[in-house]
Amino acid sequence: MGEVASGGGCCPPMDLFRSEPMQLVQLIIPIESAHRTVSYLGDLGLLQFKDLNAEKSPFQRTYATQIKRCGEMARKLRFFKEQMLKAGVSPKISTAHVDLNIDDLDVKLTDIEAELTEMNANGEKLQRTYNELVEYKLVLQKAGEFFQSAQSRAIEQQREYESRQLRGESMETPLLQDQELLGDSGKPVKLGFLAGLVPRERSQAFERILFRATRGNVFLRQAVVEDPVIDPVSGEKTEKNVFVVFYAGEKAKAKILKICDAFGGDRYPFAEELGKQAQMIKEVSGRLSELKTTIDAGLLHRENLLQAIGAQFEQWNLLVRKEKSIYHTLNMLSLDVTKKCLVAEGWSPIFASKQIQDALERAAIDSNSQVGPAHHHYKCGLSQKGFLLVSIRPAVLLKNIALKVAKYQEANPTVYTIVTFPFLFAVMFGDWGHGICLLLGALYFIIREKKLSSQKLDDITEMTFGGRYVIMLMALFSIYTGLIYNEFFSVPFELFGPSAYACRDLSCSDATISGLVKVRRTYPFGVDPVWHGTRSELPFLNSLKMKMSILLGVAQMNLGIIMSYCNALFFRSNVNVWCQFIPQIIFLNALFGYLSLLIIVKWCTGSQADLYHIMIYMFLSPADDLGENQLFVGQKYLQMTLLLLALIAVPWMLLPKPFILKKQHEAVCFLLNF
């Protein structure tokens, strides 16, 4: 469906009840001005191009390379948007014009992508180094505590040993106190150790596997790290334990290294001397401070870059999307024999001929083309027998949104639906308290429509904002039907005077109507408040709403059938008049129209007739007497006549039209072959 240019008043006022008359347009455009021509026609929005290369795949078309280039630029813009979302930067809507062509934009996006990618890589590398240094510092602190406590115990034992020697307790002196630790072969064995961090959830399993793999020939110490640390590999916060494992021999060391790798343990170098430990902690703290400063500066520079991208993102995105749409349209055009011009076909409204011609001339002048484009158009009409003079179905241009994809020049039901839909909603919603709340919400969107129209709204708010005037109609009709139902948040009010009924005696104190008498004139508007709260409220109101719904539904169905009659007259289709409109109107009103008549007669006469009984036995026993269900004289004979007409209308609707259309189709095929 074509679009109408909204600004400048370039389009004449269109008929709301029927789509615009269309014409088939053929354009011959020089290649050097094709891009600018399609751009100007797209800005005009009054021409729908036909695909003249439908048999070709997207990769076989002329401008496939340009579309691929635009797709790559769109990918870069999506990458920028993802980075902005992660950084909490939102694109800004700017009204300033940016004089930037697509080639310069491509180069600029490539440079920005390379810069942003390099910044991300450097930032990730620096952050990983920083996280490793944080873990290293924790290992130095926690493992250093192990060695300090071990050294303190060793000093105490040495002092105790020396004191025993001074007291002459030589019999308790260990025999091997001055000997080195000997292995199985009698050679001295030097103990080694490894330090690092392991995830806390795996620490117990890590300890068991170490014990089993080395047959208990290791000594493991663990310390809990109070706060979670960021894992250098995964980048996620993880609770870890610092471990120090002592071993003897290279075979045990190899096993411990493999187990550490399997459990995700990070190992760090560690010195045994306390002096070196203090020096290493000082060096690591200095490097952490330097890295922190570098990372903060990089993040600030990255945020400034993303802010600059966000200021122009929407304009870049619009330019890329427009460029891609232009090349998609150019791929729908065909090359002529000389391969110097492009041939285009499309549909446009008749009133747009002057605007299209002006756009073509302006494109030729701005492109410095030596040859101007050619413009031909063919009007679409109807023959005396209802056939289109142009065999291809024209596009449809409606000023307002249709309920479906309408046929060319078909009557538009949206105009009637704008009124009937809010009223039918109100019949169901009827409560003037809820209606006031709905009205206040609609008025809020209407009063602030200028501000809200320039903002980016979420899906639900945008949908509500777009239908603000329909919602206002729904609210007004709901207030009206709520006053008829006499319901304000389901509470009745005596707005239009006191109730017409009063208690005759004390027997009416319960929720019944048996003790009520009419003491004044009928309640002037809507349902009498005395009905609310009684035992017969539900049957009474349900009967009222159901019967009213039948009347409204039958009226709306009659409106639809009458619109089909208007379409048949416009298209000069006698088949639709005689074989569609007439049997449909007869069938509908012979049954449901008659039911509507009975409802109105019952309301006017106050009869107690059972309409369910009347309609059921109208089909089962049409010749029986109606008895108490008779509402007027001659009702039985009228029902028999209507039933007969309804039975005749069914085959009348189904059988003749297909055969007539088949005969007309065969006649057209014969003429075309002839």
Side-chain angles (χ1 to χ4, degrees):
M1 185 181 293
E3 295 181 356
V4 182
S6 58
C10 68
C11 306
M14 292 189 293
D15 188 5
L16 291 175
F17 297 95
R18 202 171 292 278
S19 61
E20 281 292 312
M22 305 293 287
Q23 60 184 358
L24 180 63
V25 178
Q26 185 182 55
L27 306 176
I28 301 177
I29 310 169
I31 289 182
E32 61 269 16
S33 64
H35 183 278
R36 200 176 295 270
T37 300
V38 172
S39 176
Y40 289 173
L41 291 175
D43 294 336
L44 187 62
L46 292 172
L47 180 64
Q48 179 177 317
F49 289 90
K50 294 171 56 182
D51 190 359
L52 303 181
N53 300 314
E55 73 283 355
K56 294 183 179 180
S57 67
F59 303 101
Q60 294 175 333
R61 304 201 181 198
T62 308
Y63 297 94
T65 304
Q66 287 82 351
I67 290 179
K68 184 178 179 181
R69 178 191 179 191
C70 293
E72 181 64 17
M73 295 172 66
R75 181 197 62 78
K76 296 174 184 176
L77 289 174
R78 289 194 300 271
F79 170 69
F80 296 160
K81 189 173 183 179
E82 291 174 359
Q83 296 298 313
M84 287 189 292
L85 290 175
K86 291 180 180 178
V89 178
S90 58
K92 299 178 181 178
I93 300 176
S94 175
T95 57
H97 177 69
V98 179
D99 189 11
L100 189 67
N101 59 41
I102 197 67
D103 296 326
D104 295 339
L105 180 60
D106 191 11
V107 175
K108 189 170 185 178
L109 294 181
T110 303
D111 294 340
I112 293 176
E113 184 189 25
E115 182 181 2
L116 191 56
T117 303
E118 184 179 0
M119 291 174 63
N120 290 339
N122 292 335
E124 291 176 359
K125 185 177 180 181
L126 290 173
Q127 190 65 44
R128 179 169 182 172
T129 304
Y130 181 83
N131 295 333
E132 289 177 349
L133 288 176
V134 170
E135 287 193 347
Y136 191 16
K137 185 177 180 180
L138 289 172
V139 170
L140 291 174
Q141 292 174 346
K142 297 291 183 179
E145 295 176 359
F146 296 155
F147 282 85
Q148 288 178 0
S149 61
Q151 188 174 12
S152 300
R153 287 197 300 270
I155 293 173
E156 292 178 359
Q157 291 177 0
Q158 181 67 22
R159 289 175 180 174
E160 183 180 357
Y161 173 71
E162 291 176 354
S163 63
R164 287 181 178 180
Q165 279 188 335
L166 292 175
R167 292 196 300 267
E169 299 177 356
S170 59
M171 295 301 293
E172 297 182 4
T173 303
L175 296 177
L176 299 177
Q177 61 177 359
D178 295 330
Q179 302 296 325
E180 294 183 346
L181 182 65
L182 299 178
D184 296 337
S185 60
K187 296 181 180 180
V189 177
K190 186 177 180 181
L191 290 177
F193 64 90
L194 294 173
L197 291 98
V198 66
R200 189 174 302 169
E201 59 183 8
R202 300 181 181 180
S203 60
Q204 294 183 357
F206 175 69
E207 184 175 356
R208 288 196 299 268
I209 295 298
L210 278 178
F211 183 80
R212 293 174 182 175
T214 60
R215 298 181 181 180
N217 293 321
V218 293
F219 179 69
L220 177 67
R221 291 290 303 273
Q222 296 193 59
V224 176
V225 178
E226 292 78 9
D227 298 326
V229 295
I230 300 177
D231 188 79
V233 178
S234 64
E236 298 179 354
K237 285 189 175 182
T238 309
E239 294 182 342
K240 292 189 176 183
N241 289 353
V242 174
F243 70 88
V244 178
V245 56
F246 296 88
Y247 61 89
E250 292 299 323
K251 292 183 179 180
K253 180 181 179 180
K255 292 180 181 180
I256 295 171
L257 291 176
K258 292 181 180 180
I259 294 172
C260 287
D261 294 337
F263 280 86
D266 299 323
R267 302 183 308 277
Y268 295 96
F270 190 79
E272 185 176 354
E273 294 81 3
L274 296 180
K276 290 185 178 180
Q277 293 177 12
Q279 183 181 358
M280 293 174 69
I281 292 176
K282 184 177 179 181
E283 292 177 356
V284 169
S285 299
R287 291 185 61 189
L288 281 173
S289 179
E290 295 175 359
L291 276 177
K292 181 64 175 176
T293 304
T294 306
I295 291 173
D296 291 342
L299 290 176
L300 180 61
H301 180 53
R302 182 174 180 271
E303 185 177 359
N304 292 335
L305 178 61
L306 292 176
Q307 290 284 359
I309 294 173
Q312 303 182 44
F313 178 82
E314 292 295 340
Q315 296 176 347
W316 294 347
N317 190 35
L318 180 62
L319 180 59
V320 171
R321 291 173 61 187
K322 181 178 178 180
E323 193 73 11
K324 191 173 183 180
S325 299
I326 290 173
Y327 284 117
H328 268 301
T329 304
L330 289 173
N331 273 339
M332 298 168 68
L333 313 185
S334 62
L335 284 168
D336 68 341
V337 180
T338 62
K339 295 187 178 181
K340 295 181 179 181
C341 295
L342 292 172
V343 179
E345 291 183 2
W347 296 101
S348 73
I350 293 177
F351 70 78
S353 299
K354 181 66 169 57
Q355 289 91 327
I356 293 175
Q357 186 64 40
D358 293 342
L360 294 176
E361 294 175 359
R362 185 158 52 93
I365 294 172
D366 294 345
S367 302
N368 297 322
S369 177
Q370 301 298 324
V371 182
H375 177 213
H376 307 285
H377 57 84
Y378 309 93
K379 293 184 179 180
C380 298
L382 294 172
S383 66
Q384 294 296 323
K385 293 187 178 181
F387 300 114
L388 285 174
L389 296 181
V390 178
S391 59
I392 304 176
R393 179 181 175 181
V396 181
L397 179 63
L398 288 167
K399 186 175 181 180
N400 53 317
I401 301 175
L403 296 177
K404 65 180 182 66
V405 179
K407 293 169 60 177
Y408 178 62
Q409 295 271 279
E410 184 183 41
N412 181 18
T414 312
V415 181
Y416 308 99
T417 308
I418 290 174
V419 178
T420 57
F421 171 76
F423 187 75
L424 292 176
F425 168 84
V427 171
M428 173 192 68
F429 192 71
D431 187 304
W432 61 280
H434 291 102
I436 291 174
C437 296
L438 195 62
L439 179 62
L440 293 176
L443 290 177
Y444 171 79
F445 285 113
I446 292 173
I447 293 172
R448 303 193 61 185
E449 63 180 359
K450 289 186 178 179
K451 183 178 180 180
L452 293 174
S453 59
S454 61
Q455 296 179 357
K456 189 172 183 180
L457 308 174
D458 58 86
D459 294 340
I460 297 178
T461 307
E462 184 178 2
M463 180 181 63
T464 307
F465 176 73
R468 57 194 179 278
Y469 291 103
V470 176
I471 295 175
M472 184 184 68
L473 286 177
M474 293 160 60
L476 293 175
F477 285 134
S478 296
I479 294 173
Y480 170 72
T481 54
L483 292 173
I484 290 179
Y485 299 157
N486 199 352
E487 289 189 358
F488 178 81
F489 296 109
S490 300
V491 177
F493 279 85
E494 295 183 350
L495 292 177
F496 303 100
S499 172
Y501 298 90
C503 290
R504 179 175 58 190
D505 49 38
L506 296 178
S507 63
C508 68
S509 59
D510 55 352
T512 63
I513 59 173
S514 58
L516 295 176
V517 292
K518 188 173 182 180
V519 296
R520 55 183 66 89
R521 296 178 61 184
T522 304
Y523 195 71
F525 187 85
V527 176
D528 195 302
V530 76
W531 283 100
H532 293 274
T534 63
R535 294 175 182 173
S536 52
E537 174 190 8
L538 191 61
F540 172 74
L541 291 180
N542 283 355
S543 177
L544 170 67
K545 295 176 182 179
M546 182 189 69
K547 292 174 182 177
M548 186 169 60
S549 300
I550 292 173
L551 295 178
L552 294 173
V554 171
Q556 190 174 31
M557 287 189 286
N558 274 289
L559 175 62
I561 296 175
I562 292 172
M563 290 187 66
S564 69
Y565 173 71
C566 296
N567 282 331
L569 289 182
F570 181 83
F571 291 112
R572 302 172 187 174
S573 176
N574 293 327
V575 176
N576 289 340
V577 173
W578 292 101
C579 300
Q580 180 174 311
F581 167 72
I582 293 178
Q584 284 181 355
I585 202 76
I586 290 175
F587 182 81
L588 175 65
N589 291 286
L591 300 180
F592 301 102
Y594 175 63
L595 176 60
S596 302
L597 175 65
L598 293 179
I599 291 173
I600 296 174
V601 172
K602 183 177 179 180
W603 279 349
C604 295
T605 60
S607 173
Q608 298 296 321
D610 187 355
L611 300 186
Y612 294 105
H613 188 277
I614 293 175
M615 294 303 297
I616 290 173
Y617 284 93
M618 178 179 173
F619 291 91
L620 297 180
S621 303
D624 292 351
D625 291 334
L626 297 175
E628 296 179 353
N629 292 326
Q630 184 169 343
L631 292 171
F632 52 86
V633 180
Q635 180 179 350
K636 181 177 73 171
Y637 299 103
L638 177 61
Q639 289 183 179
M640 295 174 64
T641 304
L642 293 176
L643 181 60
L644 180 62
L645 290 175
L647 293 176
I648 295 173
V650 173
W652 190 357
M653 281 188 291
L654 299 178
L655 297 179
K657 185 177 177 179
F659 293 103
I660 295 173
L661 292 178
K662 181 182 178 182
K663 186 176 180 181
Q664 290 180 353
H665 178 72
E666 291 174 350
V668 171
C669 292
F670 175 76
L671 291 175
L672 293 176
N673 293 330
F674 181 77

